[in-house]
Amino acid sequence: MNNILPLRYLLALCLVGTISGQLLAAPAVTSLSHHGLRKGNTTALEIRGTELAPQPRILLGSRTVAAKVAPDATGEKLGVKIDLPADFPSGIHLLRVVTPDGISGGTPITVDHLLQIAPADRLDQLPVAISGTLSGEQMMRTKINAKQNQTITIEVEARRLHSPLQPIIRLYDSRGVQQAWAQGAKTLLRDARLHYVVPADGEYTIELHDAAYAAAPNSPYRLKVGDWAYADVVFPLAIQRGTKSPLEFIADRAGSVATAEVTAESNNGFLTQPLPGDKNFSGMQPVLIVSDQPETIEVDSGSPQQVSVPGSFNGRISKAFQEGRFLVNVTPGAKLSFDVQAMRSGSPLDAVLTIYDAKDQKVLLDLDDRPNVGDPGMDLTVPADTSAILVGVRDALGRSGPDYVYRVNVRPKVEGTFALTLPNPTTKVAPLGQTMLTVDAQRQGYDGPIELELQGLPPGVIASNTRIEAGSSIGRVLLSANDEAEGTAMIRVLGHSMNGNERGPVLAVAKHAESELSKRYTWLREEVPLVVVRPSPISISWGPTSPSALGVGQSIPVQPRVIRRAGQTGPVRLSLVTNQAVVTKDGAPDPDRSLRFEREVIVPSDQSSVATKLVAPLNLSTGSYIVLLRAELLSADGKQVLATTHAPAIPMSVERPLSLELTGTDTLKVQVGTGVARLTGRVKRSPGFEQPLRIVLTSLPNGLPNLFQDLEGSQSDFDIEVRLPYSTNRKQGITAEVIAVTLGPDKSKEIRSNSLPIKIQPGRGSRPAINPPQRIFDDEPEFLEQLTEGGGKPEFTRDDKYSGTGSLLVTPDQRLNVNLPNVQFKIRKNPGPGEFRYLRFAWRKRGGAQICLQIAHDGKLGPAGPRNAPFRYHAGAGQCFDGSLTVSPNLPEEWQVVTRDLYADFGEFTLTGLGFTAVDGQEALFDFVYLGRTVDDVDAIEVKK
């Protein structure tokens, strides 16, 4: 690529500093003075919007038209005189304004031969088109003089021009008596049309208003009065690409208005076919589908015609209550899809689709409209005993006519597909710059990679990063232009399935938001106007190094570099754009689950780079990402974005910074009681990851405490002794898992490894020597006197207990003593005589949301130690005070026995007291509280119910 900018771009860059407002903002059109252009004439048009200058040019569809710009043009108002040749195609086109900074969205405008005028009290010349606006209860009225037997057509274009008006047309005679009226029709996309044969010479009044007399402010309309050629639909609705076929153009119920023979050639699957004698035509051109499969056209043969698969049948309901039928030979068990095209192409047919077994006329499927689609469609699995089916189409109300045409497409059902949508309807790219085109994927059973193909790119523009990765729902296509690129193009984005590295068939074409006009002209949703704009005043790169890998919970330093051109000195805001689907929290992107910078990054006006960190939060999903660096040039006050560009996309691997692998067996045989087995393995740490870890054998059943081993930052090998209490059920195998977690005071920053499944097979063993458990409380009413602190009231109750003679009842908030008499028990990893590790107690809660047991350590309550251990247990919602371990998310409304490993939960300490906490609601009840050296010790506690 030639890196020397051509003179035209150097001159443009020299002018950058003199342009005010949003420097590289694309134009936007908000209104037109009228919505019609007269072919073979010059039409003055006022366009209002934003950023309409400098150097505007006008596009109609994909054609640049001759337009003389008024000298008083501004960014908000643009006066133009548009000169259209007499052979310019009639119809509704999208008008766009193009400037050196971008292209506007499309605004519908009609091109025809009609005289364009403003609203007038009387029409002295016909045919004519009146452009105006209505608001609220306003009505437009005008008068005409008509002769007996004269046919008058009155039609309003409003919804087709993206107007919110719900039009009603009325016609009155000279006495003020209504002679005819029309409301919105589906065939006209909810616009209205009426025909009237004048019974006598005289003066007639035409009235137009909103159906609810509540038009949105300044709702535009174009009212046509007189006589002109039009056609709503064409028959057949489709012809096969490359074939020649006769076409019949149909207007309302009047039948054929013209015929022609065409050869179908089209890149986007549609053809707007001009009527013969196009100069007298006005309105929407009828849509002809160009297909890549056989198209069968109905003939009056007296028996159903045969259609192959894939293939289509084009028919017409010409008699009342008629059902058109065709025959399809099928394979038993085959899966087929049927799609009816009628209303979507302008036909008034409210189609009902019925499928019969051809042998016995048994109905297999019967369907009317689909949700959000005016025409029916269905999938069918052919019954095992069926080799031929009849497909029938009829009108739901039994209506008929020359315009009641339809097409049924039959094809094998596609298993696993996707849809593609485009959030932005236009895009732009600067020479020697890059821009991003976002493509969203809605997967429907296909989770593999999607290869995007961009059709129609102008010379000098290339697309990269065109793959949506497997399982991803978003694509970020990068468009780059060389220094020779220029012009405007309508591009399309096609999505191919992938079979390995082989590109499969097209399963979807990307579409942007639907408009009233695109309900008929469906290809408009597929067109993406792309314009090559003047060079961006900034460029961006990743700087000295580009990141390629990152572990969750980690960050890496980066130093992006900004290059400002042509004296630009504004601040530049940097951000990340990835192919990660946006994860939200409270309606905004969730920073805890998004790849991001550690903070907002602003490169000051006097700097070209800034050091920051790229962060992979703990909750970020692991996998492969595509990452783009976006730079936004800001105004001096930082409130306006003047230009946007991107650095090339880079792949980024986000993985766990630690992973586990076993060096021994994953199936352990353990004799209950005195038996022991060893679980051995190794932790793989990413470079520089040296945090202390806990290897935990978790998910053990029957309330067994987790088994674990702690590793220092320099250790990688683990060896956990696995023991099972003598009371373990030997008839049932145990499924558990081993996982590594980081140790630290802040649980929200805990990093977890992959988990590995472990199987444990209990075997017959020996009863271990039992060390008598240490009782702290069990059936002693005098224990209440030792609880000297707290606002709750303690009571020894015999009415509600788990075992023994009674239990301790405490009202909110709590009752406690951090230094209970004769309670000085050491909690140790390997307890010796007089030392303990396991805690067992029973509790229950009446009402409220939470219950809590606090463990006093060294005469204190609450978090302490290097791990900031909470020294509290809770069940129910939330946490107890400023931190606690969850025993259960559910409140124990019935008695629950709890066994905990105090060392695993809090480390080594001296237990000096207890706090019995009701927190809220009514009473909390606590039964026995014991300590033991082993689980078998606390299992030996005898409880009498």
Side-chain angles (χ1 to χ4, degrees):
M1 178 185 295
N2 184 356
N3 290 318
I4 301 176
L5 285 176
L7 179 61
R8 65 183 187 277
Y9 292 131
L10 292 174
L11 293 174
L13 288 173
C14 293
L15 295 173
V16 162
T18 68
I19 302 172
S20 61
Q22 295 197 0
L23 185 63
L24 293 180
V29 175
T30 56
S31 67
L32 304 177
S33 59
H34 50 272
H35 282 264
L37 298 174
R38 194 176 188 189
K39 53 198 290 185
N41 287 268
T42 299
T43 307
L45 181 68
E46 183 179 274
I47 304 172
R48 290 190 176 268
T50 58
E51 311 301 331
L52 301 175
Q55 304 170 32
R57 55 190 177 95
I58 306 298
L59 259 65
L60 285 182
S62 59
R63 306 182 186 202
T64 299
V65 296
K68 184 177 181 181
V69 179
D72 61 348
T74 66
E76 291 72 39
K77 185 181 76 171
L78 181 63
V80 293
K81 290 183 178 180
I82 298 177
D83 187 16
L84 291 183
D87 61 352
F88 197 94
S90 299
I92 298 179
H93 301 264
L94 292 182
L95 179 146
R96 291 184 171 91
V97 177
V98 184
T99 72
D101 298 331
I103 185 170
S104 71
T107 302
I109 193 167
T110 303
V111 173
D112 56 26
H113 66 288
L114 299 180
L115 177 67
Q116 314 285 330
I117 67 169
D121 294 334
R122 178 177 297 277
L123 303 180
D124 297 322
Q125 179 180 347
L126 296 181
V128 69
I130 306 167
S131 287
T133 62
L134 292 178
S135 301
E137 300 178 356
Q138 283 183 340
M139 292 182 284
M140 193 287 299
R141 288 192 182 94
T142 188
K143 297 181 184 296
I144 60 171
N145 288 321
K147 298 292 185 179
Q148 185 178 13
N149 295 326
Q150 179 181 353
T151 298
I152 298 175
T153 301
I154 306 171
E155 180 180 338
V156 62
E157 295 169 345
R159 305 296 299 186
R160 288 169 289 182
L161 303 179
H162 295 177
S163 171
L165 187 70
Q166 303 282 353
I168 298 288
I169 305 171
R170 301 183 190 274
L171 181 66
Y172 301 93
D173 64 14
S174 58
R175 301 167 298 167
V177 177
Q178 180 174 297
Q179 298 298 301
W181 77 288
Q183 61 182 344
K186 290 183 178 179
T187 54
L188 297 175
L189 300 176
R190 295 188 292 168
D191 279 339
R193 176 197 295 150
L194 67 80
H195 301 286
Y196 184 67
V197 178
V198 177
D201 293 358
E203 183 180 74
Y204 292 83
T205 299
I206 300 169
E207 180 181 277
L208 169 67
H209 62 84
D210 181 73
Y213 295 96
N218 300 314
S219 296
Y221 66 84
R222 185 172 186 260
L223 184 70
K224 302 185 292 187
V225 183
D227 190 21
W228 61 89
Y230 67 88
D232 296 321
V233 70
V234 65
F235 182 78
L237 291 178
I239 59 177
Q240 188 175 5
R241 190 186 311 274
T243 64
K244 182 177 288 188
S245 174
L247 296 179
E248 178 185 347
F249 296 87
I250 307 166
D252 283 336
R253 301 172 66 84
S256 174
V257 296
T259 58
E261 190 171 65
V262 300
T263 299
E265 297 293 348
S266 171
N267 289 327
N268 62 6
F270 295 94
L271 185 70
T272 50
Q273 178 61 41
L275 272 172
D278 177 64
K279 68 177 183 177
N280 294 319
F281 179 85
S282 177
M284 292 186 66
Q285 293 278 11
V287 177
L288 177 68
I289 300 170
V290 179
S291 77
D292 291 306
Q293 62 189 27
E295 296 286 335
T296 301
I297 301 174
E298 182 183 46
V299 296
D300 188 9
S301 62
S303 60
Q305 294 169 251
Q306 185 167 320
V307 174
S308 59
V309 180
S312 296
F313 183 78
N314 293 265
R316 171 162 32 197
I317 306 299
S318 56
K319 298 178 182 179
F321 298 99
Q322 178 188 17
E323 181 179 65
R325 291 188 177 186
F326 61 91
L327 179 71
V328 182
N329 291 320
V330 294
T331 302
K335 296 181 178 181
L336 302 176
S337 291
F338 298 81
D339 177 56
V340 176
Q341 188 95 10
M343 283 188 178
R344 288 174 289 168
S345 289
S347 171
L349 177 68
D350 185 2
V352 177
L353 178 66
T354 307
I355 300 178
Y356 308 86
D357 188 317
K359 180 173 56 178
D360 56 12
Q361 304 291 299
K362 177 183 176 181
V363 175
L364 301 178
L365 280 175
D366 188 80
L367 187 70
D368 202 339
D369 299 342
R370 286 169 286 181
N372 303 316
V373 180
D375 300 318
M378 64 178 70
D379 295 330
L380 170 71
T381 299
V382 178
D385 58 348
T386 300
S387 59
I389 59 174
L390 283 172
V391 181
V393 178
R394 69 182 188 276
D395 182 74
L397 301 177
R399 300 168 301 173
S400 62
D403 53 342
Y404 278 67
V405 299
Y406 64 88
R407 173 181 181 251
V408 182
N409 180 30
V410 187
R411 58 180 175 82
K413 182 182 178 182
V414 178
E415 298 288 354
T417 185
F418 51 84
L420 300 175
T421 55
L422 298 162
N424 298 315
T426 66
T427 191
K428 59 185 180 180
V429 62
L432 303 182
Q434 290 187 321
T435 192
M436 182 183 67
L437 178 67
T438 298
V439 183
D440 294 329
Q442 296 80 44
R443 295 179 179 271
Q444 301 159 10
Y446 175 79
D447 291 324
I450 300 172
E451 184 67 23
L452 302 176
E453 175 190 357
L454 277 70
Q455 291 183 337
L457 289 173
V461 177
I462 60 172
S464 60
N465 194 42
T466 56
R467 177 169 294 192
I468 301 178
E469 299 298 333
S472 177
S473 61
I474 191 166
R476 309 287 195 188
V477 179
L478 272 183
L479 297 173
S480 307
N482 63 26
D483 56 1
E484 296 298 325
E486 59 183 358
T488 305
M490 297 293 174
I491 67 172
R492 297 171 77 228
V493 182
L494 281 59
H496 295 260
S497 62
M498 296 294 293
N499 183 11
N501 291 323
E502 295 295 324
R503 194 168 75 176
V506 175
L507 295 186
V509 181
K511 303 176 185 293
H512 41 76
E514 186 178 65
S515 67
E516 202 72 47
L517 186 62
S518 68
K519 290 179 181 178
R520 182 70 45 79
Y521 289 174
T522 54
W523 64 87
L524 293 178
R525 295 184 63 193
E526 302 173 359
E527 292 181 345
V528 182
L530 181 148
V531 61
V532 179
V533 297
R534 55 183 165 183
S536 173
I538 58 171
S539 62
I540 181 71
S541 69
W542 281 100
T545 58
S546 297
S548 59
L550 189 57
V552 291
Q554 293 185 298
S555 61
I556 54 176
V558 292
Q559 193 167 357
R561 180 175 176 80
V562 175
I563 298 175
R564 297 177 177 86
R565 298 191 178 103
Q568 287 298 314
T569 59
V572 176
R573 179 170 59 206
L574 304 182
S575 57
L576 289 181
V577 181
T578 77
N579 63 340
Q580 178 189 13
V582 178
V583 183
T584 60
K585 180 180 181 180
D586 299 328
D590 186 357
D592 292 331
R593 291 189 289 175
S594 303
L595 191 64
R596 56 179 172 81
F597 287 131
E598 64 175 346
R599 53 178 173 79
E600 184 180 59
V601 182
I602 301 290
V603 182
S605 301
D606 58 349
Q607 297 181 23
S608 60
S609 65
V610 63
T612 186
K613 289 183 177 180
L614 187 61
V615 177
L618 285 170
N619 295 325
L620 180 68
S621 299
T622 59
S624 298
Y625 291 83
I626 299 298
V627 182
L628 288 84
L629 179 59
R630 176 168 57 197
E632 296 171 302
L633 177 64
L634 305 178
S635 57
D637 59 7
K639 295 182 178 180
Q640 289 182 306
V641 177
L642 304 181
T644 302
T645 191
H646 298 83
I650 59 172
M652 172 75 68
S653 174
V654 176
E655 305 293 342
R656 294 184 180 93
L658 67 160
S659 61
L660 289 183
E661 63 178 18
L662 296 179
T663 55
T665 179
D666 62 356
T667 300
L668 305 177
K669 297 181 179 180
V670 185
Q671 294 179 342
V672 299
T674 57
V676 61
R678 312 198 79 85
L679 177 64
T680 60
R682 181 178 299 111
V683 180
K684 289 184 176 180
R685 301 171 182 261
S686 63
F689 186 80
E690 297 180 351
Q691 295 189 42
L693 303 174
R694 171 165 290 181
I695 314 300
V696 185
L697 182 62
T698 184
S699 301
L700 295 169
N702 304 322
L704 296 179
N706 296 332
L707 301 172
F708 69 96
Q709 180 183 354
D710 291 343
L711 302 180
E712 299 297 327
S714 58
Q715 296 177 309
S716 296
D717 295 326
F718 62 86
D719 184 347
I720 299 176
E721 290 188 352
V722 180
R723 302 175 184 271
L724 296 178
Y726 188 72
S727 59
T728 301
N729 183 357
R730 292 185 286 108
K731 296 182 180 180
Q732 186 173 0
I734 298 173
T735 299
E737 60 181 21
V738 61
I739 191 169
V741 297
T742 53
L743 292 175
D746 189 349
K747 295 289 287 184
S748 66
K749 296 183 178 180
E750 180 183 87
I751 301 175
R752 303 171 69 87
S753 74
N754 58 312
S755 63
L756 300 175
I758 302 297
K759 294 180 181 179
I760 303 176
Q761 299 175 353
R764 183 186 299 274
S766 303
R767 184 183 297 275
I770 300 299
N771 299 291
Q774 175 64 51
R775 181 173 62 189
I776 297 179
F777 162 70
D778 191 1
D779 296 337
E780 296 94 2
E782 60 273 17
F783 181 73
L784 277 64
E785 299 175 2
Q786 300 177 19
L787 303 177
T788 57
E789 302 174 63
K793 177 183 177 182
E795 176 185 340
F796 185 80
T797 178
R798 301 180 187 275
D799 298 331
D800 193 349
K801 61 186 186 299
Y802 175 78
S803 64
T805 60
S807 66
L808 169 63
L809 180 150
V810 178
T811 62
D813 58 356
Q814 61 182 340
R815 201 69 180 176
L816 57 92
N817 189 341
V818 297
N819 289 294
L820 286 169
N822 303 315
V823 176
Q824 289 280 328
F825 301 120
K826 294 180 179 180
I827 307 302
R828 296 293 183 262
K829 177 181 180 181
N830 299 303
E835 299 175 337
F836 304 95
R837 177 165 174 169
Y838 295 93
L839 171 71
R840 178 167 289 182
F841 62 92
W843 62 4
R844 182 188 176 200
K845 181 67 186 299
R846 296 174 181 167
Q850 195 181 89
I851 187 173
C852 182
L853 178 68
Q854 302 194 70
I855 310 297
H857 52 94
D858 306 301
K860 297 176 293 184
L861 291 176
R867 291 162 44 197
N868 202 33
F871 288 94
R872 299 187 186 97
Y873 296 111
H874 84 270
Q879 287 196 335
C880 182
F881 298 107
D882 54 352
S884 56
L885 292 181
T886 302
V887 173
S888 170
N890 302 316
L891 199 67
E893 297 178 350
E894 301 296 333
W895 281 104
Q896 182 185 66
V897 177
V898 179
T899 303
R900 299 297 301 192
D901 184 338
L902 290 170
Y903 170 75
D905 291 338
F906 310 130
E908 293 190 341
F909 66 97
T910 300
L911 189 153
T912 60
L914 294 171
F916 301 90
T917 306
V919 184
D920 58 4
Q922 302 176 43
E923 305 92 354
L925 296 104
F926 299 83
D927 210 319
F928 55 83
V929 180
Y930 283 89
L931 296 174
R933 294 172 64 184
T934 67
V935 175
D936 284 307
D937 291 349
V938 293
D939 278 346
I941 298 170
E942 294 185 8
V943 293
K944 297 179 180 180
K945 295 195 176 182

